[in-house]
């Protein structure tokens, strides 16, 4: 039987190739997010939607079911279907900015990939110093750089009464898996600011970043200026910082006239970061790969590289120079003091908080006083050594 000629298949398709219920769902969601349908507004009945959109009632039911599952609408028995009102949004407190009063909950959510180690305590301290001065309380969450955990964190904060969100995206080099949840934030008009990366689909959203391309360039160029010729790069594949630092590494090699060798780059992911960089380096050394310098994704990776080199009885910096990134406590307190890139953790956190406050107040981008890109600074210590020509 040819189901394409009017027989019911359950998959009514429009000209775009998408099912009609999905097209209708997207259109209604767009109206909600854009504010054409506001919280508390009553939707047309199934019969009315069926007639006005020229689709079956079955199609309308499927579209409404998806919107209800995603929290955009809710049905009230005997009354109809309404655009959702977010739980708790009615609570308010009075806050003051520059002599003007703004009403809100007084709560800001902060989601980072980690909380208690590395650069994150100082980053959060920078956020807290600005927000507490303005009378806000902070709700802290962390994802462990997991997109599944990011989803849970977003779902949890959407159930709370918050005025804004600062979020470090999880695996920002991969397309966002939680667009529906970010669309809910837009729907509820909750402003949010990305830090240390953003998703490709959301590049126009407010964000505060380090110029990581320039940082990768600075450490690589420093080694080149010291006479290094065979420079290994170790970079993280699943976040945008790794991509940008690699881009800077490539740029420095290109400007110096050195060929880019993909075999001289080790890529790792969040799940194998504790093992892969050092293990692959050991295998390369055992196979006789020649190198005189190593550019590491961050100070944590540099520390593992130092351990691997020590195991092979290779001296740093006498035999191989090593650079880190972030200027963390690791860089200053290890057996070999690391040449690295300064990461102004507190400043970045404070800038993100200041930008979010502007968004809460409705300050347009053209009137913003917050810098969006932080410039890196090279910190020279003991882990690099000049190479004589011909070495």
């Amino acid at each position: 039987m040819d189901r394409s000629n009017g027989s019911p298949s359950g998959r009514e398709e429009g000209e775009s190739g998408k099912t009609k219920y999905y097209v209708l769902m997207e259109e209604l969601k767009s109206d909600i997010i854009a504010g054409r349908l506001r919280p508390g507004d009553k939707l047309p009945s199934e019969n009315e939607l069926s007639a006005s959109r020229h689709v079956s009632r079955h199609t309308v039911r499927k579209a409404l079911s998806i919107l209800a599952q995603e929290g955009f609408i809710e049905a009230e028995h005997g009354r109809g279907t309404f655009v959702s009102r977010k739980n708790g949004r009615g609570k308010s407190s009075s806050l003051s900015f520059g002599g003007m009063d703004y009403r809100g909950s007084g709560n800001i959510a902060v989601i980072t990939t980690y909380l208690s180690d590395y650069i994150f305590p100082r980053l959060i301290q920078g956020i807290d110093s600005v927000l507490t001065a303005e009378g806000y309380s902070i709700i802290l969450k962390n994802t462990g750089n997991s997109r599944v955990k990011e989803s849970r964190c977003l779902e949890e904060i959407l159930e709370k009464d918050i005025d804004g969100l600062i979020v470090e995206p999880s695996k920002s080099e991969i397309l966002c898996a939680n667009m529906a949840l970010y669309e809910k934030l837009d729907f509820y008009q909750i402003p949010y600011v990305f830090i240390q990366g953003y998703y490709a689909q959301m590049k126009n959203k407010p964000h505060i970043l380090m110029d990581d391309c320039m940082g990768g360039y600075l450490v690589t160029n420093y080694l080149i200026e010291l006479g290094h010729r065979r420079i290994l790069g170790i970079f993280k594949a699943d976040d945008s910082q790794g991509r940008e630092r690699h881009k800077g590494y490539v740029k420095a090699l290109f400007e110096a006239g050195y060929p880019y060798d993909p075999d001289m780059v080790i890529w790792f992911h969040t799940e194998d970061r504790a093992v892969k960089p050092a293990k692959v380096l050991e295998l390369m050394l055992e196979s006789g790969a020649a190198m005189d310098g190593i550019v590491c994704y961050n100070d944590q990776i540099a520390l593992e590289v130092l351990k691997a080199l020590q195991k092979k009885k290779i001296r740093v910096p006498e035999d191989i120079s090593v650079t880190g990134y972030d200027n963390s406590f690791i860089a200053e307190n290890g057996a070999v003091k690391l040449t690295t890139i300064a990461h102004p953790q507190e400043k970045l956190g404070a800038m993100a908080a200041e930008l979010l406050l502007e968004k809460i107040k409705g300050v347009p981008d053209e009137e913003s006083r917050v810098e969006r890109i932080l410039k890196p600074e090279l910190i020279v210590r003991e882990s690099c050594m000049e190479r004589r020509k011909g070495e």
Side-chain angles (χ1 to χ4, degrees), residues 240-251:
S240 55
Q241 295 150 288
R243 176 199 66 210
E244 291 298 309
R245 293 170 194 181
H246 173 259
K247 190 186 296 183
Y249 162 85
V250 173
K251 180 182 177 184

Side-chain angles (χ1 to χ4, degrees), residues 87-242:
N87 292 337
R89 294 296 291 170
K91 302 174 186 176
S92 66
S93 60
S94 182
L95 300 168
S96 179
F97 300 102
M100 297 181 66
D101 288 335
Y102 296 83
R103 297 191 66 78
S105 68
N107 297 318
I108 298 291
V110 177
I111 300 175
T112 57
T113 51
Y114 303 98
L115 285 178
S116 60
D117 63 353
Y118 199 49
I119 65 172
F120 295 96
R122 292 182 64 185
L123 175 70
I124 294 165
Q125 185 178 343
I127 294 171
D128 182 68
S129 65
V130 172
L131 294 181
T132 55
E134 297 291 348
Y136 279 100
S137 297
I138 296 178
I139 301 169
L140 284 175
K141 301 281 183 182
N142 80 94
T143 66
N145 207 32
S146 160
R147 300 198 297 170
V148 172
K149 289 183 180 178
E150 179 185 87
S151 174
R152 291 179 194 150
C153 289
L154 290 169
E155 288 171 352
E156 288 172 10
I157 66 164
L158 279 163
E159 291 301 317
K160 299 183 184 297
D161 194 12
I162 62 170
D163 294 331
L165 166 67
I166 295 171
V167 57
E168 180 186 18
S170 296
K171 298 186 177 178
S172 54
E173 187 59 8
I174 302 173
L175 288 178
C176 180
N178 299 311
M179 285 300 297
L181 294 169
Y182 285 106
E183 287 173 350
K184 280 190 184 180
L185 290 169
D186 293 329
F187 164 52
Y188 293 126
Q189 298 180 25
I190 300 172
Y192 52 95
V193 172
F194 286 115
I195 55 173
Q196 305 205 105
Y198 55 80
Y199 296 111
Q201 310 105 298
M202 307 173 77
K203 63 181 179 182
N204 294 325
K205 295 295 183 181
H207 54 263
I208 303 289
L209 306 175
M210 276 276 288
D211 188 343
D212 284 307
C213 179
M214 178 57 71
Y217 174 87
L218 288 175
V219 285
T220 308
N221 188 63
Y222 177 67
L223 291 180
I224 291 170
E225 289 180 342
L226 289 178
H228 296 75
R229 295 293 179 268
R230 293 285 294 170
I231 303 172
L232 178 73
I234 304 178
F235 302 102
K236 198 162 185 276
D238 56 17
D239 70 31
S240 55
Q241 295 150 288

Side-chain angles (χ1 to χ4, degrees), residues 152-372:
R152 291 179 194 150
C153 289
L154 290 169
E155 288 171 352
E156 288 172 10
I157 66 164
L158 279 163
E159 291 301 317
K160 299 183 184 297
D161 194 12
I162 62 170
D163 294 331
L165 166 67
I166 295 171
V167 57
E168 180 186 18
S170 296
K171 298 186 177 178
S172 54
E173 187 59 8
I174 302 173
L175 288 178
C176 180
N178 299 311
M179 285 300 297
L181 294 169
Y182 285 106
E183 287 173 350
K184 280 190 184 180
L185 290 169
D186 293 329
F187 164 52
Y188 293 126
Q189 298 180 25
I190 300 172
Y192 52 95
V193 172
F194 286 115
I195 55 173
Q196 305 205 105
Y198 55 80
Y199 296 111
Q201 310 105 298
M202 307 173 77
K203 63 181 179 182
N204 294 325
K205 295 295 183 181
H207 54 263
I208 303 289
L209 306 175
M210 276 276 288
D211 188 343
D212 284 307
C213 179
M214 178 57 71
Y217 174 87
L218 288 175
V219 285
T220 308
N221 188 63
Y222 177 67
L223 291 180
I224 291 170
E225 289 180 342
L226 289 178
H228 296 75
R229 295 293 179 268
R230 293 285 294 170
I231 303 172
L232 178 73
I234 304 178
F235 302 102
K236 198 162 185 276
D238 56 17
D239 70 31
S240 55
Q241 295 150 288
R243 176 199 66 210
E244 291 298 309
R245 293 170 194 181
H246 173 259
K247 190 186 296 183
Y249 162 85
V250 173
K251 180 182 177 184
L253 294 177
F254 178 78
E255 287 187 1
Y258 296 168
Y260 173 75
D261 183 354
D263 290 335
M264 287 294 286
V265 176
I266 298 172
W267 291 99
F268 67 95
H269 295 78
T270 298
E271 291 77 9
D272 58 18
R273 68 189 185 281
V275 176
K276 183 178 178 181
K279 185 60 180 176
V280 174
L281 172 61
E282 289 179 19
L283 293 173
M284 290 180 70
L285 293 169
E286 289 169 5
S287 70
M291 64 189 75
D292 53 14
I294 303 175
V295 169
C296 298
Y297 168 77
N298 64 14
D299 296 339
Q300 289 177 318
I301 297 301
L303 178 62
E304 296 307 310
V305 164
L306 291 174
K307 292 176 181 177
L309 293 174
Q310 184 180 31
K311 189 190 299 185
K312 296 294 182 182
K313 305 216 179 319
I314 295 172
R315 300 169 300 166
V316 175
E318 291 85 355
D319 301 320
I320 295 178
S321 296
V322 176
T323 67
Y325 202 109
D326 289 332
N327 195 32
S328 67
F329 66 94
I330 295 172
E332 299 181 76
N333 296 299
V336 178
K337 308 296 186 286
L338 281 172
T339 291
T340 186
I341 293 292
H343 188 303
Q345 301 106 327
E346 287 186 45
K347 183 179 179 182
L348 188 147
M351 288 165 59
E354 289 165 0
L355 180 57
L356 182 60
L357 291 177
E358 286 189 347
K359 294 302 173 185
I360 291 171
K361 291 183 285 183
V363 175
D365 285 342
E366 58 270 19
E367 296 179 19
S368 174
R369 297 183 178 181
V370 181
E371 186 181 359
R372 307 298 176 92

